[in-house]
Amino acid sequence: MYDLKFRCYQRPFRQPLITHHGTWKTREGIIIHLRDSQGRNGWGEIAPIPGFGSETLAAAVELCQQFGKTVSDENIAQIPDSYPASQFAFEAAVTSLSIAQPPPQFPVAALLPTGSAALAAWPEAWQQGKRTFKWKIGVDAVEREIKLLQQLLSHLPPTAKLRLDANGGLTPKTAQIWLKRLERTKKVEFLEQPLSPAEFDLMRELQRQYTTPLALDESVTTIAQLQDCYHRGWRGIFIVKIAIAGFPHRLRQFCQKHPLTLVFSSVFETEIARNAAFHLAAELASPDYALGFGTDSWLHPPPFPLKP
Ligand code: MG
């Protein structure tokens, strides 16, 4: 049995995040605190994104309230699969009870603002040591975005890497236009989720046709979906938003049987979930790719000390 406390937070974005899914202005989540019988403290964070198939914040609050002042390993194991952010948070909190050392650090990809604002934004991230950048596409007309890409590529230093993220916002036609254009550059590391999850077969086909690697993200928001796409033949990159993916032990078990190329990615969580994610990344993420965690500058600091 663990003593349980939890607290909700709101963190406004310094500038709203614009993607194909829309505009995001405030990140809301829950910090959970466990204390075990030896007096050790464990921390976890529920950072849901209902648009990516996780539970809502309200549902997660209700779950925590139902647990009351204590929670057991059995209660945690029984968190339903429809609560993947809570599954992650509670397992991570239990794991953290027995982890004393901070997580290892990794290179992270800096998320650039959408549209032409990216052109002015990358130098600061470069000066901070970022060498991989991520830029959202599928928001404006394809011709305008390709023009901007050309400008961005001509400005970026030769050693920079750029990954593109369409958030499922391209059509079969515009995806082909993008991929044909990308054949002429070697600077684009991969293209994330060109088409909606319903177009899985076509994405697998595009992966075969073009040399720019493709990564699935929205298609694989939970570990069950990731397993499904693997069994349906996806051998490209998997973006793992670990904080909304479900119980980490399930991903570990699957990775022990199958060699997967995983790129861990942020859901705009605080350092509580990020630390848990980095511990897991040391075990499971592909060493060839920067982690998609260059997002902290996007948010105002948390409204209270996370570990009082
Ligand atoms: Mg993505």
Side-chain angles (χ1 to χ4, degrees), residues 216-257:
L216 296 184
D217 182 359
E218 279 82 347
S219 292
V220 293
T221 56
T222 64
I223 295 159
Q225 288 167 346
L226 184 149
Q227 290 169 329
D228 182 53
C229 287
Y230 179 83
H231 292 309
R232 288 161 73 195
W234 187 263
R235 293 297 179 271
I237 299 163
F238 295 90
I239 306 294
V240 177
K241 288 178 159 49
I242 189 74
I244 56 167
F247 288 124
H249 75 266
R250 288 196 188 148
L251 182 63
R252 185 181 293 120
Q253 281 166 0
F254 193 68
C255 287
Q256 278 161 0
K257 280 190 221 134

Side-chain angles (χ1 to χ4, degrees), residues 12 70 83 88 100 106 111 113 121 129-130 178 180 203 210 265 272 287:
T70 57
Y83 289 70
F88 167 82
F106 295 95
L111 177 63
K130 308 282 198 319
W178 270 106
K180 273 185 194 141
M203 284 191 280
Y210 295 95
S265 195
I272 300 273

Side-chain angles (χ1 to χ4, degrees), residues 52 134 136 165-167 192-193 217-218 239 241 265:
F52 272 66
K134 174 164 163 172
K136 299 281 186 184
D165 187 2
N167 287 109
E192 216 170 289
Q193 195 76 34
D217 182 359
E218 279 82 347
I239 306 294
K241 288 178 159 49
S265 195

Side-chain angles (χ1 to χ4, degrees), residues 8-15 25-29 31 45 268-272 274 295-306:
C8 297
Y9 69 81
Q10 290 194 332
R11 295 177 75 188
F13 282 84
R14 290 181 201 273
Q15 50 175 328
K25 293 181 182 156
T26 306
R27 196 328 146 225
E28 297 179 289
I31 304 296
E45 177 178 356
F268 299 92
E269 57 283 273
T270 74
E271 66 180 66
I272 300 273
R274 168 185 297 232
T295 50
D296 210 46
S297 65
W298 279 77
L299 291 157
H300 288 287
F304 49 81
L306 297 172

Side-chain angles (χ1 to χ4, degrees), residues 83-284:
Y83 289 70
S86 301
Q87 287 182 338
F88 167 82
F90 277 92
E91 186 175 316
V94 171
T95 304
S96 76
L97 288 163
S98 51
I99 296 182
Q101 73 277 27
Q105 291 307 299
F106 295 95
V108 296
L111 177 63
L112 297 173
T114 308
S116 58
L119 295 169
W122 71 264
E124 193 186 335
W126 178 269
Q127 268 161 17
Q128 291 164 356
K130 308 282 198 319
R131 294 297 177 264
T132 306
F133 299 89
K134 174 164 163 172
W135 188 52
K136 299 281 186 184
I137 64 166
V139 180
D140 198 355
V142 60
E143 299 80 16
R144 270 201 291 276
E145 288 187 336
I146 285 180
K147 255 188 205 141
L148 277 174
L149 173 81
Q150 281 163 342
Q151 280 180 275
L152 188 55
L153 288 177
S154 68
H155 290 194
L156 285 173
T159 51
K161 286 181 183 168
L162 181 67
R163 54 183 72 160
L164 303 177
D165 187 2
N167 287 109
L170 304 182
T171 64
K173 197 172 158 208
T174 55
Q176 303 242 20
I177 294 172
W178 270 106
L179 286 165
K180 273 185 194 141
R181 173 61 188 83
L182 296 180
E183 291 293 291
R184 286 191 270 135
T185 175
K186 292 277 171 272
K187 269 190 197 167
V188 170
E189 191 183 31
F190 56 77
L191 168 59
E192 216 170 289
Q193 195 76 34
L195 305 172
S196 78
E199 307 266 23
F200 175 83
D201 292 334
L202 185 52
M203 284 191 280
R204 208 181 40 191
E205 192 49 41
L206 293 173
Q207 172 86 288
R208 267 197 286 268
Q209 265 180 326
Y210 295 95
T211 52
T212 300
L214 300 184
L216 296 184
D217 182 359
E218 279 82 347
S219 292
V220 293
T221 56
T222 64
I223 295 159
Q225 288 167 346
L226 184 149
Q227 290 169 329
D228 182 53
C229 287
Y230 179 83
H231 292 309
R232 288 161 73 195
W234 187 263
R235 293 297 179 271
I237 299 163
F238 295 90
I239 306 294
V240 177
K241 288 178 159 49
I242 189 74
I244 56 167
F247 288 124
H249 75 266
R250 288 196 188 148
L251 182 63
R252 185 181 293 120
Q253 281 166 0
F254 193 68
C255 287
Q256 278 161 0
K257 280 190 221 134
H258 307 282
L260 304 178
T261 304
L262 304 184
V263 177
F264 274 36
S265 195
S266 147
V267 293
F268 299 92
E269 57 283 273
T270 74
E271 66 180 66
I272 300 273
R274 168 185 297 232
N275 284 351
F278 276 34
H279 278 295
L280 287 159
E283 251 183 276
L284 302 173

